[in-house]
Amino acid sequence: MTLRPIAAVSLTALLLSACIINVNGAGRMPTEHTHQSLQLDSNGLDELVAETGAGALDIQGVVGLSHIKLEADIYTYEGVDPILTLEKRGDTARLVADFDSYKVSGNSPYIDLVVKVPAEMKMDIDDGSGSIKIQGSSADIDVKDGSGSMEIEGGKNLNIEDGSGSITLSDVNGNITLDDGSGSIEIMQVNGDVNVNDGSGSLSIKKVQGFVTIDDGSGSIDVMDTKGLKIIEAGSGSLSFDNIDGKVSLE
């Protein structure tokens, strides 16, 4: 008869149990969910200035819209209150969606936003983390983003400073200036010039009616159908270009 090592089995079970408790504690999700709606008359307003923390941000430009409309889903913990305001400041609409200082065990609280604005309204966005999606705009857009994917379809002149996360820019009616840390970049259908300063990640630029300038650290570069191309630095990674109707400079 073989004796089973009961003590060893019990110790293993205890260690596994402790491990499970620690993992669950670290991954604890916000326990409270509320929904809020805000609205602001856009008459006399030229620009939306937004300061947003963690959470998804979806901005939709709507032709003929006379109000800024906001829908917010707030995910937080008991005792951790959000800051959510939409106010008129001169000719600017100011949106703040964040949390005051907090200390929680688990994932940070966050606010998912859907914002509808007049299509011709300029935007100046300072975002912490989470995905950003902007579509339907015909105005200038400035974005400073920490992390998370970004997708912009439309807009006039885009000025973007991004930390990390994939970026897709399309159907832009003016120029693009992009300063990116890491993550893949895809740019297409641009009526102006494109200037990209990129740290790492693949870069694809296609169908640009202006001049393209690239300063890249690492990652593949693929450029097609532009009116000129200047590569200041290509770092590491493959480089390909085709159908460049203009000057090509490789420094």
Side-chain angles (χ1 to χ4, degrees):
M1 177 178 180
T2 302
L3 294 176
R4 187 182 180 190
I6 297 176
V9 172
S10 299
L11 179 59
T12 302
L14 180 60
L15 291 174
L16 288 174
S17 176
C19 179
I20 291 171
I21 290 173
N22 289 337
V23 170
N24 285 345
R28 189 168 71 99
M29 298 299 293
T31 56
E32 297 189 358
H33 170 232
T34 58
H35 182 87
Q36 290 189 34
S37 300
L38 299 176
Q39 185 167 294
L40 182 66
D41 188 346
S42 62
N43 184 41
L45 299 180
D46 298 327
E47 184 177 24
L48 172 69
V49 175
E51 295 182 16
T52 55
L57 176 60
D58 183 350
I59 301 180
Q60 303 167 12
V62 181
V63 176
L65 192 66
S66 60
H67 289 75
I68 300 172
K69 300 179 180 181
L70 179 148
E71 300 291 335
D73 282 294
I74 303 166
Y75 299 87
T76 187
Y77 300 90
E78 183 179 359
V80 181
D81 297 325
I83 301 171
L84 182 63
T85 59
L86 179 61
E87 302 173 336
K88 181 177 181 180
R89 301 277 183 88
D91 59 359
T92 299
R94 184 173 179 83
L95 164 63
V96 177
D98 206 347
F99 293 86
D100 206 349
S101 59
Y102 58 86
K103 187 175 183 180
V104 297
S105 174
N107 291 290
S108 65
Y110 62 96
I111 304 175
D112 288 342
L113 297 169
V114 177
V115 186
K116 295 183 179 180
V117 302
E120 68 279 5
M121 178 171 283
K122 295 184 292 184
M123 302 180 205
D124 187 348
I125 299 164
D126 189 345
D127 182 63
S129 63
S131 63
I132 296 176
K133 184 176 182 180
I134 303 174
Q135 57 186 345
S137 172
S138 59
D140 293 344
I141 301 173
D142 288 2
V143 179
K144 183 178 181 181
D145 180 48
S147 63
S149 63
M150 183 186 308
E151 179 182 349
I152 300 178
E153 181 180 355
K156 192 176 181 183
N157 297 305
L158 306 186
N159 186 5
I160 299 169
E161 182 180 340
D162 182 65
S164 63
S166 62
I167 297 175
T168 302
L169 310 175
S170 63
D171 295 325
V172 178
N173 200 36
N175 302 320
I176 294 176
T177 300
L178 171 60
D179 189 347
D180 180 56
S182 63
S184 62
I185 299 172
E186 185 175 6
I187 299 173
M188 67 195 85
Q189 300 287 359
V190 181
N191 284 336
D193 297 332
V194 174
N195 192 319
V196 177
N197 187 340
D198 180 46
S200 63
S202 62
L203 174 59
S204 173
I205 301 177
K206 300 179 180 179
K207 297 183 179 180
V208 175
Q209 296 301 311
F211 199 87
V212 174
T213 304
I214 298 171
D215 188 347
D216 182 63
S218 64
S220 62
I221 299 174
D222 182 17
V223 182
M224 293 180 61
D225 301 319
T226 77
K227 299 297 183 183
L229 173 63
K230 180 179 182 180
I231 306 290
I232 297 174
E233 186 173 348
S236 62
S238 62
L239 168 63
S240 65
F241 55 90
D242 190 23
N243 198 26
I244 308 300
D245 183 16
K247 183 180 178 181
V248 176
S249 173
L250 304 178
E251 298 183 1

